[in-house]
Amino acid sequence: MLVDTGTFERSPHACHHGRSGEGCADCKVRLISVCSVLALAELEELEALSHHLTLDKGQTLFGQGEPAGSVYNVIDGALRLTRLLPDGRRQVMGFALPGDFLGLALQERYSVSAEALGPVETCRFGREDFAEVMAAKPHLLKSLHERAGYELNLAQEQMLLLGRRTAEEKVVAFLLSLRDRYARTGHSSVTVELPMGRQDMADHLGLTIETVSRMLSRLDRAHAILLVPGGVRLLDVPRLERMAAS
């Protein structure tokens, strides 16, 4: 979906990088990443091409318009994916979570910026090196195609989200989508973590921050959700699912 960073090359204090300490075989997101199809020997080959990269909150992995020279596997944390519109407005295109692979688009430059919402760990590969691995391993290419299909589905859901749904339905659908994405990483829970702020949610959903706050408060008062520090608890999931399907 996205790609590299001229950012850490340009700003050496923006992140920390080196060989991964635990190795690809022990990676915490291996089973949900595109790398899951690789055998141990193949993982060792891939690991030789990788660099572990960490960022602190607010730091940029790569910027919109920068040369797309790397691809990244998100190991831990969350990133905000934004695009600056010609009139200066910001559109939040989405959020990258553990297991997501960034930088696989064919464009020569990044179409979005990726900013850390908190501490983030990624595994970085040079784009040309990774392309050679893909060419030699059809099963990895197949896995990437499946991931591309999943991301296309997310994009279609986002189009629907910004279309005919009411503000309340948009917020509910967003919360349920996050729940489902966390479930893919093995973190199934009625409490949905919200690493992004309400302004980020508003910019993603095409709403104002006041509207997002009002919808969350309304759902809380209706006992459909419970606002908790750092997230929301889904109290009435069947009701929320009916609202999202409206």
Side-chain angles (χ1 to χ4, degrees), residues 80-103:
R80 175 178 55 232
L81 310 177
T82 62
R83 180 177 295 173
L84 193 63
L85 303 178
D87 61 4
R89 289 179 297 167
R90 182 190 75 158
Q91 175 66 46
V92 175
M93 307 301 293
F95 303 94
L97 301 177
D100 287 343
F101 219 88
L102 308 181

Side-chain angles (χ1 to χ4, degrees), residues 71-167:
V71 298
Y72 301 89
N73 194 16
V74 182
I75 300 172
D76 195 22
L79 298 110
R80 175 178 55 232
L81 310 177
T82 62
R83 180 177 295 173
L84 193 63
L85 303 178
D87 61 4
R89 289 179 297 167
R90 182 190 75 158
Q91 175 66 46
V92 175
M93 307 301 293
F95 303 94
L97 301 177
D100 287 343
F101 219 88
L102 308 181
L104 295 175
L106 298 178
Q107 296 96 328
E108 292 303 314
R109 295 182 178 274
Y110 300 119
S111 61
V112 298
S113 296
E115 303 158 295
L117 291 169
V120 167
E121 297 179 43
T122 72
C123 194
R124 171 184 173 266
F125 304 91
R127 189 176 183 182
E128 293 184 2
D129 290 338
F130 196 80
E132 290 180 3
V133 173
M134 283 194 299
K137 303 184 187 308
H139 49 305
L140 178 59
L141 184 59
K142 180 176 182 293
S143 178
L144 289 167
H145 284 164
E146 291 172 351
R147 175 55 63 101
Y150 168 73
E151 291 180 355
L152 178 60
N153 183 60
L154 288 181
Q156 292 171 336
E157 290 180 0
Q158 176 66 6
M159 291 175 64
L160 177 60
L161 198 61
L162 296 176
R164 297 181 177 275
R165 281 179 166 150
T166 66

Side-chain angles (χ1 to χ4, degrees), residues 18-244:
R19 293 293 180 196
S20 174
E22 59 181 6
C24 290
D26 301 315
C27 177
K28 65 180 73 174
V29 297
R30 176 192 165 201
L31 296 181
I32 60 171
S33 172
V34 295
C35 308
S36 62
V37 298
L38 298 179
L40 289 179
E42 294 174 316
L43 283 173
E44 292 177 359
E45 179 183 345
L46 190 64
E47 184 179 350
L49 303 175
S50 70
H51 287 81
H52 195 68
L53 184 68
T54 63
L55 296 91
D56 296 324
K57 181 178 180 179
Q59 293 178 333
T60 301
L61 184 62
F62 53 82
Q64 179 180 342
E66 292 179 353
S70 302
V71 298
Y72 301 89
N73 194 16
V74 182
I75 300 172
D76 195 22
L79 298 110
R80 175 178 55 232
L81 310 177
T82 62
R83 180 177 295 173
L84 193 63
L85 303 178
D87 61 4
R89 289 179 297 167
R90 182 190 75 158
Q91 175 66 46
V92 175
M93 307 301 293
F95 303 94
L97 301 177
D100 287 343
F101 219 88
L102 308 181
L104 295 175
L106 298 178
Q107 296 96 328
E108 292 303 314
R109 295 182 178 274
Y110 300 119
S111 61
V112 298
S113 296
E115 303 158 295
L117 291 169
V120 167
E121 297 179 43
T122 72
C123 194
R124 171 184 173 266
F125 304 91
R127 189 176 183 182
E128 293 184 2
D129 290 338
F130 196 80
E132 290 180 3
V133 173
M134 283 194 299
K137 303 184 187 308
H139 49 305
L140 178 59
L141 184 59
K142 180 176 182 293
S143 178
L144 289 167
H145 284 164
E146 291 172 351
R147 175 55 63 101
Y150 168 73
E151 291 180 355
L152 178 60
N153 183 60
L154 288 181
Q156 292 171 336
E157 290 180 0
Q158 176 66 6
M159 291 175 64
L160 177 60
L161 198 61
L162 296 176
R164 297 181 177 275
R165 281 179 166 150
T166 66
E168 187 174 55
E169 290 166 354
K170 287 181 180 182
V171 171
V172 170
F174 176 73
L175 296 177
L176 293 178
S177 175
L178 270 184
R179 176 203 61 175
D180 294 343
R181 292 183 66 192
Y182 282 129
R184 290 184 67 252
T185 71
H187 294 87
S188 297
S189 173
V190 295
T191 300
V192 177
E193 181 184 354
L194 295 177
M196 68 293 294
R198 294 188 182 183
Q199 185 64 64
D200 292 333
M201 290 176 59
D203 289 347
H204 181 55
L205 298 174
L207 302 171
T208 65
I209 187 173
E210 293 81 9
T211 299
V212 169
S213 297
R214 188 167 64 251
M215 294 303 104
L216 289 172
S217 296
R218 178 191 294 180
L219 292 166
D220 182 85
R221 289 194 303 270
H223 305 294
I225 67 171
L226 176 66
L227 298 175
V228 297
V232 298
R233 187 167 298 154
L234 308 181
L235 299 180
D236 192 343
V237 173
R239 178 182 175 187
L240 292 170
E241 289 177 337
R242 288 194 298 271
M243 294 172 65

